[in-house]
Every structure is written in structure tokens, then in C-alpha cells.
Amino acid sequence: MESKTHARVESDRSSDEKNMGEVANAMPVNLPEDPDAHLSDAQRKEIDRKLVRKLDLQLIPWLCLLYLLSFLDRTNIGNAKIAGLQKKLGNMSTGKYNAALSIFFVSYAVFEPLANILLKRLRPSVFIPIIMYASHLTQLLCLTSNRIIWGVCMLSMGFVTSWSGLMVCRFFLGLAEAGLFPGVNYFLSSWYKRNEFGVRAAIFFSAAALSGSFGGLLAAAILNMHNVGGKPGWAWIFILEGLATVLCGFLSFFLVHDFPDTATFLSEQDRARVIRRLKLDQQSSAEHEEFKMSYFWSAVKDWKMYMGMFIYMGADMPLYAFSLFLPSIVAGMGYKGNQAQLMTVPPYACAAVLTVAVGFYADRTRQRGLSNIFVSLIGVVGFAMLIGSHKPHIKYALPQSRPSPSTLIHRPRYAGTFLGALGIYPCIANTISWVSNNTEGVYKRGIVLGFVIGWGNLNGVVSSNIFFKGPQYTVGHATIIGYMVGCLVVGSTVMHFLLGRENAARRAGKRDHWVQGKTEREIEALGDKRPDFLYTT
């Protein structure tokens, strides 16, 4: 049995996998008939290239926009804070403000493991628009000064008049948004080959960095509406950005597609091509699969899930700390009002570019662990600069011919915000791609991603409670460094070597006994436990 398995493995290796020096899987069962069998290799490659481009245009742009809005909605409270939110809500204390940040992550994290199962059962074209509406139309925002009137009657947090109302809004916002990020990553992993998924996940997540840039610019513009309709500028930030999300939620019923086996934008031939290329890439995620509790137990017994949770918390806690408090950090450098909002834009823009670049690199080299280690060290240096520099800026006079009489020449603290962003954002998408690459099976992958992302987001509670005693914020920056070194650097190093050791054992045939006496279908059902499945390190 073992010799036959190895014979099939060698005969079925694709040219791409030979170039990578990897072993391909035995011919999968239920493989669709190849609609391009009569064509030359050059023609087949051209058809495949056009197919991937078609998938990119149909799937990626709209999902990026949805995530940009989602991240904007959860982090714009930081922009509202420096625009007067705390003062207007009864001089809210720092503790109460941090509690309002924390409660979002509680509901957000708890619901995430279930969200991917619902995504599969309800279909993406139904589930994603519903949660977008829920995040704004069911936030129960009819508030008086002393009590909450429950109902679907207001749009966004722009209508809150008390700290208790803000707490309710943030709780339901977290509940409704829980399904988007893990759901979309799971969804995309069911469309693309393992060496194609990373850059798509990076492009998708770069929307979070762009939302930081866009959020600062948008907040600066919206604050000019102060006192329009009797509402302060910070309230208009919530109202207008909420309206944009509701509109996109409606359009998503028509612009979000389903999984490959049912997506209506694919022809029958293209559907066969997508399913076939995924199955040949050691994936069974393209076809319908009924949920069984065995998939859940397979996920929770997998050591890779817990390592993924540990590594991801090292990226996610710093992510939320940075995105929620960057406006406050910048304001602590001496900037005020719109200038403080605008100074938050450049670090996010740089982070978005590096996120995509790391996605390209990791897809081509399959060295996701080493990518995590290197990039996170950049962030560690950045936050060390934020701790070590006590003078935020100095002023220099400019020649009278310049449009401004003076400018701020920034010292290491502002430079540190750039390195901090560069060290965080690429690791989010790279870690999710790493976990997804190494988990096979429709529901198992969804459950694993739900736990990994849910646990990472639960650490947002830590993010919300470490920034105090500004403008230095020593405790906050030091905590971020601890997370990045302990979880990202050390965790990624351990994971990299453990996966490499397991791959070596599989190449040496030490796991072949796992398939003895099993049928082809039973072997395929093993997923990433198949002896011929090689992990991305």
C-alpha cells in the first residue's frame, strides 16, 4: 500500500510543485473532468491565468471595501475621542472610555468561532449583508440620560447621550461585526490555491490600514460639520460612516458571491476548473460538505490551532492598541484638532503597502514564519523608539518664502509610529494565511480560523486598558513589545521549526502508516493529516 501511494504521488506531481521541491497529493476522488484536456500546456496556463484574474475582479474589491468600512466603524471612536467625545458624554473618565473599548472585543471574540459555520450554512451572499445591517440597524440606540430604550430606531453611535448608551452600542457592534474578518478569510481560502491565498488575504487586510488613513482624513473633513443639526462633530463621524456601511450592506446582497460549487458568476466549465485546481492543490474546500461534530473535535485536537492562537494574539493586541490610540499618541506630540487627525494618515498608508508586499513574498517563498519574525522585529524597534524618546518634536523657523512660517520636524516618536504600523499590519494577514494554508477541510478550517481570530480579538480587551498616563504611554508601548516578542517572534520561530520537522518526517515516509488499509475517500478525508500533505513553514 505504501509503495503504491508513493508511486501515485510521484506521477501526479505538478510542475509548480516540482519547482518548489514539494510532494503533491495522490489523485483526489471526485475530481471534475478537465474541460481543457485537449489544449496545449501554454493554452491551459493562459486559461488558468484569466480564470484567476476573473476571480480577483469578482471577489476582492468589494470585500476590501466592506472590511475598510468595518474597521473604520470599530476604530473611529479614537478619532471621536480627540474631537470631544469624552467631554460631551458627561466628562467620561479614562476608565469608562477604556471599558467602552473593551466591551466591543468581548462580544466580537465570543461570536467568532460560530460565525464561519453560519457563513457556510447561510451562504456568504446572505450572511455578510445581514451582519452589516445588524451592526448599525440593531444597536438599540434610542437613549435618554438615565435609561436605554431598546429598539431598532437609530443609526449609529452618533445618537448616544451617555456612557451606558455607548457601552450598549459597542457591545452590539462587536456582536454584529464578529463574522466578517474570519468569514472572509475562510471564504477566500475556499477559492484560491494555497500559494495564491496569502497575497489576496494581504490585499483584503490592507483595507484595515487604509481605513486608518481614510479615517483620519474623513474625520478631519467631517468635524467641519460641528453643530450642524445641533450635533457635535464627533457625532457626525459616527452617523455618516454608519450611513455608508448601511448602503454597502444593501448592495452586498447583489455583489457578494457564494462558494465555488454554487457561485452564479461562474460558467459550468469555470466551476469545474476552480474545483479541479483546488483539489489538485490538496484542498477539498471547494465542494459542499455537511457539518459534523467530528470536524469540531478535529480542530480542537490540532496543536497547530493553539500555536496559531498564540502567534495571532501577538499581532492582534498590538493592532487594536495602535489603531485605537494612535490619534491620542499623535495628539500627545502637540498636535491639535484636524492636524492631529491628518498626522495619523501616513503610518497607515505605509503599512498598507508593506502588507501587500509581504503577502507577495510569502506566497512565493512559502516562508510565512520567517516573514512574521522579520516584520515583527521592525515593530519592536518602533515601539522602543516611542518609549525612548521623551521630546515629541522641535520647531524650526522656515524662510519667509515658504507658505508656513514654521513646521514641525519630528523626532523619533513620530518615526516610531511608522515602524510600529509596519511591524503589525503585515503579520495579521500573514498569520491568517499561515493558519489557513496548514488546515484542510471546509468546516475544520472555518472552526480553526474562528478560534484563532476570536482569541486574538479577545486580547483587544488588553489593548483597551494599557494606555494611560499620556503622552508617554510607557506601559502601553512596553506591553505591545512584550506581546510582539513573546508571541510573534518566539511563537513564529517555534511553529516554523515544528512544521519543518513534520514535513521532513512526511518526506521520509514516517507517516505513511496513517493511510494503511484506507480507501481513497478515507485518505482524502484525513485532510492535513494525510502523509502527502506538506505544511507551509
Side-chain angles (χ1 to χ4, degrees):
M1 175 67 186
E2 293 180 18
S3 61
K4 290 181 180 179
T5 300
H6 282 295
R8 285 195 303 272
V9 166
E10 292 301 319
S11 66
D12 291 332
R13 275 193 304 187
S14 68
S15 59
D16 287 342
E17 288 166 330
K18 287 179 181 178
N19 292 336
M20 295 295 295
E22 293 193 351
V23 181
N25 61 311
M27 188 63 71
V29 298
N30 294 331
L31 189 67
E33 184 178 348
D34 186 0
D36 306 313
H38 60 289
L39 301 178
S40 66
D41 286 344
Q43 290 173 317
R44 290 161 64 91
K45 288 181 180 179
E46 179 63 17
I47 289 174
D48 190 67
R49 185 179 63 82
K50 290 181 177 179
L51 176 62
V52 173
R53 183 191 304 164
K54 180 179 182 179
L55 299 182
D56 289 341
L57 292 175
Q58 288 284 345
L59 303 176
I60 303 298
W62 189 253
L63 293 176
C64 285
L65 176 62
L66 298 187
Y67 193 57
L68 185 150
L69 292 171
S70 170
F71 212 82
L72 197 64
D73 290 339
R74 74 185 67 167
T75 59
N76 58 13
I77 191 172
N79 300 104
K81 176 189 176 185
I82 64 173
L85 171 69
Q86 281 184 274
K87 183 178 180 181
K88 292 296 183 181
L89 294 185
N91 288 320
M92 185 194 311
S93 67
T94 299
K96 285 188 173 182
Y97 175 76
N98 289 346
L101 300 183
S102 300
I103 198 168
F104 169 89
F105 296 104
V106 174
S107 57
Y108 189 81
V110 169
F111 188 65
E112 278 186 314
L114 176 62
N116 281 350
I117 297 176
L118 293 177
L119 176 74
K120 180 66 177 177
R121 295 181 74 88
L122 294 179
R123 307 196 328 267
S125 61
V126 174
F127 179 72
I128 290 176
I130 285 176
I131 62 173
M132 290 190 67
Y133 272 117
S135 68
H136 289 283
L137 295 180
T138 60
Q139 286 187 48
L140 312 176
L141 297 179
C142 282
L143 305 176
T144 64
S145 58
N146 296 317
R147 56 182 290 191
I148 302 173
I149 304 173
W150 292 73
V152 183
C153 53
M154 292 293 179
L155 179 64
S156 71
M157 287 183 287
F159 295 95
V160 297
T161 59
S162 66
W163 172 74
S164 59
L166 184 64
M167 290 286 285
V168 171
C169 296
R170 294 287 295 178
F171 178 85
F172 280 96
L173 183 65
L175 181 67
E177 286 195 3
L180 186 63
F181 184 63
V184 170
N185 278 284
Y186 164 50
F187 171 69
L188 290 177
S189 71
S190 299
W191 278 94
Y192 292 99
K193 293 163 64 175
R194 292 195 293 166
N195 66 342
E196 298 168 342
F197 171 60
V199 69
R200 274 80 185 177
I203 292 171
F204 170 68
F205 184 71
S206 68
L210 290 176
S211 77
S213 294
F214 183 65
L217 291 171
L218 192 58
I222 293 175
L223 288 178
N224 293 320
M225 295 181 64
H226 183 66
N227 284 333
V228 173
K231 293 196 172 296
W234 63 263
W236 282 111
I237 292 176
F238 294 136
I239 293 169
L240 294 183
E241 293 176 6
L243 280 171
T245 302
V246 170
L247 175 61
C248 289
F250 172 75
L251 295 176
S252 293
F253 281 108
F254 308 99
L255 296 175
V256 173
H257 300 283
D258 294 324
F259 290 97
D261 58 331
T262 57
T264 56
F265 76 93
L266 291 176
S267 65
E268 287 300 324
Q269 282 191 325
D270 279 346
R271 183 173 291 110
R273 292 183 180 112
V274 171
I275 295 175
R276 183 180 175 85
R277 70 195 304 272
L278 290 179
K279 279 182 166 287
L280 290 173
D281 188 52
Q282 301 180 316
Q283 296 190 56
S284 59
S285 303
E287 293 186 302
H288 182 70
E289 186 179 88
E290 293 297 330
F291 176 74
K292 301 175 183 176
M293 279 303 296
S294 59
Y295 300 134
F296 172 81
W297 294 118
S298 177
V300 298
K301 291 178 181 178
D302 193 338
W303 66 270
K304 301 191 305 299
M305 184 181 85
Y306 299 100
M307 282 300 302
M309 292 167 67
F310 182 72
I311 295 168
Y312 191 68
M313 66 186 275
D316 222 26
M317 193 287 287
L319 167 73
Y320 285 113
F322 185 85
S323 58
L324 289 170
F325 288 96
L326 181 61
S328 298
I329 295 170
V330 171
M333 297 179 188
Y335 300 104
K336 303 297 180 185
N338 279 3
Q339 189 181 27
Q341 305 282 6
L342 294 172
M343 292 302 293
T344 65
V345 173
Y348 287 119
C350 293
V353 174
L354 186 62
T355 298
V356 177
V358 170
F360 272 109
Y361 172 80
D363 269 359
R364 279 149 182 75
T365 63
R366 299 198 179 191
Q367 295 295 334
R368 300 201 183 278
L370 296 181
S371 298
N372 260 6
I373 295 166
F374 175 75
V375 172
S376 59
L377 289 174
I378 297 175
V380 170
V381 172
F383 286 103
M385 291 169 64
L386 284 166
I387 291 177
S389 178
H390 295 279
K391 293 182 180 180
H393 58 70
I394 55 177
K395 290 185 178 181
Y396 288 90
L398 291 177
Q400 294 298 318
S401 60
R402 299 288 181 88
S404 173
S406 64
T407 189
L408 294 172
I409 306 300
H410 305 288
R411 296 184 67 138
R413 285 190 65 196
Y414 189 55
T417 65
F418 281 81
L419 296 182
L422 293 174
I424 294 171
Y425 281 83
C427 291
I428 297 288
N430 188 59
T431 301
I432 294 303
S433 300
W434 199 10
V435 171
S436 179
N437 283 172
N438 293 327
T439 309
E440 185 46 55
V442 175
Y443 281 109
K444 180 182 177 181
R445 181 184 300 160
I447 293 167
V448 167
L449 286 176
F451 272 100
V452 169
I453 298 172
W455 172 249
N457 283 315
L458 189 58
N459 281 266
V461 175
V462 179
S463 309
S464 306
N465 292 281
I466 57 175
F467 278 84
F468 47 88
K469 294 184 180 180
Q472 197 64 23
Y473 298 118
T474 301
V475 172
H477 300 321
T479 305
I480 290 174
I481 291 174
Y483 263 73
M484 296 185 76
V485 172
C487 301
L488 267 177
V489 177
V490 176
S492 296
T493 301
V494 172
M495 182 81 151
H496 173 78
F497 283 107
L498 288 178
L499 292 176
R501 187 175 67 177
E502 178 61 23
N503 281 347
R506 294 185 179 194
R507 287 190 178 100
K510 295 180 179 179
R511 304 291 186 256
D512 288 349
H513 62 279
W514 290 351
V515 298
Q516 286 183 345
K518 294 185 181 295
T519 65
E520 293 280 0
R521 185 175 294 278
E522 288 172 334
I523 293 173
E524 185 180 41
L526 291 174
D528 52 80
K529 294 285 288 183
R530 294 197 316 270
D532 61 322
F533 185 99
L534 294 180
Y535 294 119
T536 299
T537 59

